PDB file of all heavy atoms in Angstrom:
ATOM      1  N   VAL G1205      -7.212   6.291  14.231  1.00  0.00           N
ATOM      2  CA  VAL G1205      -6.407   7.195  13.403  1.00  0.00           C
ATOM      3  C   VAL G1205      -6.451   8.573  14.073  1.00  0.00           C
ATOM      4  O   VAL G1205      -7.322   8.813  14.911  1.00  0.00           O
ATOM      5  CB  VAL G1205      -6.959   7.281  11.957  1.00  0.00           C
ATOM      6  CG1 VAL G1205      -6.846   5.945  11.259  1.00  0.00           C
ATOM      7  CG2 VAL G1205      -8.404   7.767  11.933  1.00  0.00           C
ATOM      8  N   PRO G1206      -5.526   9.489  13.717  1.00  0.00           N
ATOM      9  CA  PRO G1206      -5.515  10.798  14.391  1.00  0.00           C
ATOM     10  C   PRO G1206      -6.839  11.553  14.225  1.00  0.00           C
ATOM     11  O   PRO G1206      -7.522  11.381  13.209  1.00  0.00           O
ATOM     12  CB  PRO G1206      -4.368  11.547  13.702  1.00  0.00           C
ATOM     13  CG  PRO G1206      -3.513  10.486  13.094  1.00  0.00           C
ATOM     14  CD  PRO G1206      -4.423   9.344  12.767  1.00  0.00           C
ATOM     15  N   GLN G1207      -7.152  12.397  15.211  1.00  0.00           N
ATOM     16  CA  GLN G1207      -8.351  13.225  15.184  1.00  0.00           C
ATOM     17  C   GLN G1207      -8.399  14.015  13.872  1.00  0.00           C
ATOM     18  O   GLN G1207      -7.381  14.555  13.438  1.00  0.00           O
ATOM     19  CB  GLN G1207      -8.256  14.185  16.391  1.00  0.00           C
ATOM     20  CG  GLN G1207      -9.530  14.823  16.828  1.00  0.00           C
ATOM     21  CD  GLN G1207     -10.490  13.877  17.563  1.00  0.00           C
ATOM     22  OE1 GLN G1207     -11.346  13.302  16.905  1.00  0.00           O
ATOM     23  NE2 GLN G1207     -10.371  13.748  18.869  1.00  0.00           N
ATOM     24  N   GLY G1208      -9.570  14.040  13.220  1.00  0.00           N
ATOM     25  CA  GLY G1208      -9.710  14.819  11.983  1.00  0.00           C
ATOM     26  C   GLY G1208      -9.269  14.079  10.731  1.00  0.00           C
ATOM     27  O   GLY G1208      -9.342  14.618   9.629  1.00  0.00           O
ATOM     28  N   GLN G1209      -8.776  12.852  10.909  1.00  0.00           N
ATOM     29  CA  GLN G1209      -8.321  12.099   9.718  1.00  0.00           C
ATOM     30  C   GLN G1209      -9.095  10.789   9.565  1.00  0.00           C
ATOM     31  O   GLN G1209      -8.547   9.776   9.121  1.00  0.00           O
ATOM     32  CB  GLN G1209      -6.838  11.797   9.818  1.00  0.00           C
ATOM     33  CG  GLN G1209      -5.978  13.026   9.635  1.00  0.00           C
ATOM     34  CD  GLN G1209      -4.511  12.655   9.490  1.00  0.00           C
ATOM     35  OE1 GLN G1209      -4.169  11.614   8.942  1.00  0.00           O
ATOM     36  NE2 GLN G1209      -3.660  13.502  10.013  1.00  0.00           N
ATOM     37  N   ALA G1210     -10.368  10.821   9.984  1.00  0.00           N
ATOM     38  CA  ALA G1210     -11.195   9.619   9.832  1.00  0.00           C
ATOM     39  C   ALA G1210     -11.253   9.243   8.355  1.00  0.00           C
ATOM     40  O   ALA G1210     -11.118  10.091   7.475  1.00  0.00           O
ATOM     41  CB  ALA G1210     -12.593   9.877  10.375  1.00  0.00           C
ATOM     42  N   ARG G1211     -11.433   7.965   8.117  1.00  0.00           N
ATOM     43  CA  ARG G1211     -11.324   7.493   6.744  1.00  0.00           C
ATOM     44  C   ARG G1211     -12.159   6.257   6.466  1.00  0.00           C
ATOM     45  O   ARG G1211     -12.544   5.530   7.390  1.00  0.00           O
ATOM     46  CB  ARG G1211      -9.863   7.163   6.435  1.00  0.00           C
ATOM     47  CG  ARG G1211      -9.318   6.045   7.298  1.00  0.00           C
ATOM     48  CD  ARG G1211      -7.812   6.036   7.323  1.00  0.00           C
ATOM     49  NE  ARG G1211      -7.278   7.251   7.937  1.00  0.00           N
ATOM     50  CZ  ARG G1211      -6.007   7.601   7.936  1.00  0.00           C
ATOM     51  NH1 ARG G1211      -5.124   6.851   7.346  1.00  0.00           N
ATOM     52  NH2 ARG G1211      -5.602   8.698   8.514  1.00  0.00           N
ATOM     53  N   LEU G1212     -12.416   6.053   5.176  1.00  0.00           N
ATOM     54  CA  LEU G1212     -12.914   4.766   4.718  1.00  0.00           C
ATOM     55  C   LEU G1212     -11.682   3.990   4.289  1.00  0.00           C
ATOM     56  O   LEU G1212     -10.814   4.543   3.609  1.00  0.00           O
ATOM     57  CB  LEU G1212     -13.838   4.948   3.517  1.00  0.00           C
ATOM     58  CG  LEU G1212     -15.135   5.719   3.765  1.00  0.00           C
ATOM     59  CD1 LEU G1212     -15.838   5.985   2.435  1.00  0.00           C
ATOM     60  CD2 LEU G1212     -16.061   4.921   4.687  1.00  0.00           C
ATOM     61  N   ARG G1213     -11.594   2.745   4.712  1.00  0.00           N
ATOM     62  CA  ARG G1213     -10.432   1.947   4.275  1.00  0.00           C
ATOM     63  C   ARG G1213     -10.909   0.844   3.344  1.00  0.00           C
ATOM     64  O   ARG G1213     -11.506  -0.133   3.779  1.00  0.00           O
ATOM     65  CB  ARG G1213      -9.700   1.352   5.481  1.00  0.00           C
ATOM     66  CG  ARG G1213      -8.448   0.590   5.034  1.00  0.00           C
ATOM     67  CD  ARG G1213      -7.634   0.058   6.187  1.00  0.00           C
ATOM     68  NE  ARG G1213      -8.266  -1.068   6.836  1.00  0.00           N
ATOM     69  CZ  ARG G1213      -7.671  -1.858   7.726  1.00  0.00           C
ATOM     70  NH1 ARG G1213      -6.429  -1.603   8.084  1.00  0.00           N
ATOM     71  NH2 ARG G1213      -8.304  -2.856   8.280  1.00  0.00           N
ATOM     72  N   CYS G1214     -10.618   1.034   2.041  1.00  0.00           N
ATOM     73  CA  CYS G1214     -10.934  -0.003   1.068  1.00  0.00           C
ATOM     74  C   CYS G1214      -9.763  -0.974   1.025  1.00  0.00           C
ATOM     75  O   CYS G1214      -8.604  -0.563   1.139  1.00  0.00           O
ATOM     76  CB  CYS G1214     -11.097   0.594  -0.329  1.00  0.00           C
ATOM     77  SG  CYS G1214     -12.248   1.965  -0.400  1.00  0.00           S
ATOM     78  N   GLN G1215     -10.058  -2.242   0.881  1.00  0.00           N
ATOM     79  CA  GLN G1215      -9.010  -3.252   0.711  1.00  0.00           C
ATOM     80  C   GLN G1215      -9.379  -4.164  -0.453  1.00  0.00           C
ATOM     81  O   GLN G1215     -10.461  -4.750  -0.484  1.00  0.00           O
ATOM     82  CB  GLN G1215      -8.841  -4.058   2.000  1.00  0.00           C
ATOM     83  CG  GLN G1215      -8.153  -3.271   3.100  1.00  0.00           C
ATOM     84  CD  GLN G1215      -8.155  -4.008   4.413  1.00  0.00           C
ATOM     85  OE1 GLN G1215      -9.164  -3.990   5.116  1.00  0.00           O
ATOM     86  NE2 GLN G1215      -7.071  -4.669   4.751  1.00  0.00           N
ATOM     87  N   ILE G1216      -8.449  -4.243  -1.375  1.00  0.00           N
ATOM     88  CA  ILE G1216      -8.694  -4.985  -2.611  1.00  0.00           C
ATOM     89  C   ILE G1216      -8.209  -6.420  -2.434  1.00  0.00           C
ATOM     90  O   ILE G1216      -7.250  -6.680  -1.720  1.00  0.00           O
ATOM     91  CB  ILE G1216      -7.938  -4.314  -3.778  1.00  0.00           C
ATOM     92  CG1 ILE G1216      -8.212  -2.798  -3.801  1.00  0.00           C
ATOM     93  CG2 ILE G1216      -8.297  -4.945  -5.116  1.00  0.00           C
ATOM     94  CD1 ILE G1216      -9.662  -2.414  -3.822  1.00  0.00           C
ATOM     95  N   SER G1217      -8.898  -7.331  -3.151  1.00  0.00           N
ATOM     96  CA  SER G1217      -8.543  -8.748  -3.084  1.00  0.00           C
ATOM     97  C   SER G1217      -8.341  -9.290  -4.502  1.00  0.00           C
ATOM     98  O   SER G1217      -8.951  -8.792  -5.460  1.00  0.00           O
ATOM     99  CB  SER G1217      -9.680  -9.525  -2.406  1.00  0.00           C
ATOM    100  OG  SER G1217      -9.488 -10.918  -2.544  1.00  0.00           O
ATOM    101  N   ALA G1218      -7.514 -10.340  -4.585  1.00  0.00           N
ATOM    102  CA  ALA G1218      -7.363 -11.043  -5.868  1.00  0.00           C
ATOM    103  C   ALA G1218      -8.682 -11.693  -6.263  1.00  0.00           C
ATOM    104  O   ALA G1218      -8.910 -11.995  -7.443  1.00  0.00           O
ATOM    105  CB  ALA G1218      -6.280 -12.114  -5.746  1.00  0.00           C
ATOM    106  N   ALA G1219      -9.569 -11.903  -5.277  1.00  0.00           N
ATOM    107  CA  ALA G1219     -10.836 -12.584  -5.561  1.00  0.00           C
ATOM    108  C   ALA G1219     -11.859 -11.668  -6.243  1.00  0.00           C
ATOM    109  O   ALA G1219     -12.841 -12.151  -6.811  1.00  0.00           O
ATOM    110  CB  ALA G1219     -11.430 -13.131  -4.263  1.00  0.00           C
ATOM    111  N   HIS G1220     -11.651 -10.338  -6.186  1.00  0.00           N
ATOM    112  CA  HIS G1220     -12.619  -9.432  -6.805  1.00  0.00           C
ATOM    113  C   HIS G1220     -12.589  -9.539  -8.328  1.00  0.00           C
ATOM    114  O   HIS G1220     -11.509  -9.617  -8.929  1.00  0.00           O
ATOM    115  CB  HIS G1220     -12.314  -7.971  -6.422  1.00  0.00           C
ATOM    116  CG  HIS G1220     -12.612  -7.643  -4.989  1.00  0.00           C
ATOM    117  ND1 HIS G1220     -11.700  -7.059  -4.139  1.00  0.00           N
ATOM    118  CD2 HIS G1220     -13.729  -7.834  -4.251  1.00  0.00           C
ATOM    119  CE1 HIS G1220     -12.234  -6.894  -2.947  1.00  0.00           C
ATOM    120  NE2 HIS G1220     -13.476  -7.362  -2.984  1.00  0.00           N
ATOM    121  N   THR G1221     -13.771  -9.502  -8.925  1.00  0.00           N
ATOM    122  CA  THR G1221     -13.833  -9.392 -10.384  1.00  0.00           C
ATOM    123  C   THR G1221     -13.860  -7.905 -10.746  1.00  0.00           C
ATOM    124  O   THR G1221     -14.161  -7.052  -9.896  1.00  0.00           O
ATOM    125  CB  THR G1221     -15.115 -10.051 -10.942  1.00  0.00           C
ATOM    126  OG1 THR G1221     -16.241  -9.315 -10.430  1.00  0.00           O
ATOM    127  CG2 THR G1221     -15.234 -11.510 -10.525  1.00  0.00           C
ATOM    128  N   ARG G1222     -13.578  -7.619 -12.009  1.00  0.00           N
ATOM    129  CA  ARG G1222     -13.630  -6.211 -12.452  1.00  0.00           C
ATOM    130  C   ARG G1222     -15.040  -5.647 -12.289  1.00  0.00           C
ATOM    131  O   ARG G1222     -15.229  -4.489 -11.924  1.00  0.00           O
ATOM    132  CB  ARG G1222     -13.194  -6.100 -13.919  1.00  0.00           C
ATOM    133  CG  ARG G1222     -11.713  -6.300 -14.127  1.00  0.00           C
ATOM    134  CD  ARG G1222     -10.929  -5.146 -13.505  1.00  0.00           C
ATOM    135  NE  ARG G1222      -9.607  -5.551 -13.120  1.00  0.00           N
ATOM    136  CZ  ARG G1222      -8.512  -5.401 -13.870  1.00  0.00           C
ATOM    137  NH1 ARG G1222      -8.594  -4.832 -15.034  1.00  0.00           N
ATOM    138  NH2 ARG G1222      -7.342  -5.799 -13.417  1.00  0.00           N
TER     139      ARG G1222
END
Side-chain angles (χ1 to χ4, degrees):
V1205 295
Q1207 199 74 267
Q1209 289 190 33
R1211 63 199 64 190
L1212 296 172
R1213 183 176 73 168
C1214 308
Q1215 287 172 280
I1216 311 306
S1217 169
H1220 289 127
T1221 64
R1222 287 293 153 95

